Amino acid sequence: MGDHYDVTKEDSFSIYNWTEGTPLFSERVKFRHHNWWRNNKKIWQKDLSDKLIGEGFCTKLGVPVVPKIMVTESYDDALLFDLPPQYVIKTDKGTSAKQVFPVQDGTNLFTKEKITITEILDTLANDKFLENKEHQIIVEELVIDEFGNDIPLDYKFYMYGGKIVLIQVIDRPTKIESEQFQGYYDAYWNKIP
């Protein structure tokens, strides 16, 4: 069967434990993706992929979110041209940090190159993913993580039936996927090969 990790005693009695014939986690994720997005099935959880809706859901549960400087639908909003020295600009739609610009003192922290708000807005306005999608521009505080990284680690928790089955940790020092690092862990932070 290839690489595996040992199931804890507590998990061995779980109804979520894998047994012969049970679809693999990767198969379940592919099925969910196809079912939710390609079949346009009405599932309330998929609305949470919109960053503002997802944050609203977290806020209702008491989970803190990064403070917003502003949210706007207009690329011409005057407040966009009067931002503090540190901020993150992104859209409420998007994936894999492609529509995200962390800026510190006029430097894009992903590329380490100088960037202006006009260049960021032009890039977003011409983004193929955002084309023909109603979207909002979000400006929020720049967060430096506890390890001192310019770009905080990205944690994704995969759950079934209210139980964490996989934690994915992504280190995105750049937007170049080959320069990003990922690690996978079980619910007890044991590394999964």
Side-chain angles (χ1 to χ4, degrees):
M1 175 92 192
D3 289 334
H4 72 281
Y5 69 99
D6 293 328
V7 176
T8 64
K9 188 173 186 175
E10 178 185 64
D11 282 344
S12 66
F13 299 105
S14 166
I15 62 169
Y16 305 105
N17 196 25
W18 187 87
T19 57
E20 197 68 44
T22 302
L24 297 175
F25 179 75
S26 58
E27 293 169 330
R28 289 179 181 213
V29 170
K30 286 179 186 176
F31 174 78
R32 187 186 78 174
H33 179 78
H34 181 79
N35 207 22
W36 284 23
W37 302 107
R38 304 229 192 253
N39 287 344
N40 273 337
K41 199 167 187 178
K42 294 284 184 197
I43 300 172
W44 70 269
Q45 292 94 334
K46 75 181 189 178
D47 293 334
L48 299 176
S49 66
D50 177 297
K51 291 175 183 72
L52 293 172
I53 294 172
E55 286 185 1
F57 179 79
C58 290
T59 301
K60 285 181 187 173
L61 294 174
V63 177
V65 298
V66 177
K68 303 290 172 277
I69 296 169
M70 66 176 292
V71 177
T72 183
E73 294 177 2
S74 173
Y75 282 83
D76 297 320
D77 192 315
L79 293 176
L80 287 168
F81 299 92
D82 189 29
L83 296 174
Q86 296 184 158
Y87 60 89
V88 174
I89 189 167
K90 60 186 180 181
T91 58
D92 60 332
K93 311 284 189 292
T95 61
S96 302
K98 291 182 178 84
Q99 294 78 19
V100 178
F101 294 85
V103 177
Q104 185 171 35
D105 300 320
T107 299
N108 181 338
L109 295 178
F110 275 134
T111 64
K112 308 297 187 237
E113 296 173 350
K114 289 292 184 185
I115 193 163
T116 66
I117 188 67
T118 302
E119 291 169 326
I120 294 170
L121 295 174
D122 286 346
T123 300
L124 292 175
N126 294 301
D127 185 283
K128 291 291 182 198
F129 179 82
L130 296 173
E131 193 174 64
N132 302 320
K133 284 185 178 68
E134 286 186 33
H135 61 277
Q136 296 183 72
I137 301 164
I138 303 167
V139 183
E140 61 188 23
E141 291 182 10
L142 177 67
V143 175
I144 305 297
D145 75 5
E146 69 271 25
F147 304 111
N149 297 322
D150 286 341
I151 309 296
L153 297 175
D154 188 359
Y155 296 88
K156 298 184 184 294
F157 294 83
Y158 293 82
M159 301 179 71
Y160 286 98
K163 179 179 171 139
I164 296 171
V165 295
L166 179 76
I167 303 167
Q168 179 184 18
V169 181
I170 307 169
D171 184 359
R172 288 190 177 100
T174 74
K175 286 188 181 185
I176 301 168
E177 287 190 33
S178 62
E179 295 178 11
Q180 298 174 8
F181 306 95
Q182 298 185 49
Y184 296 91
Y185 303 86
D186 67 17
Y188 305 98
W189 290 102
N190 297 308
K191 187 145 177 61
I192 298 172

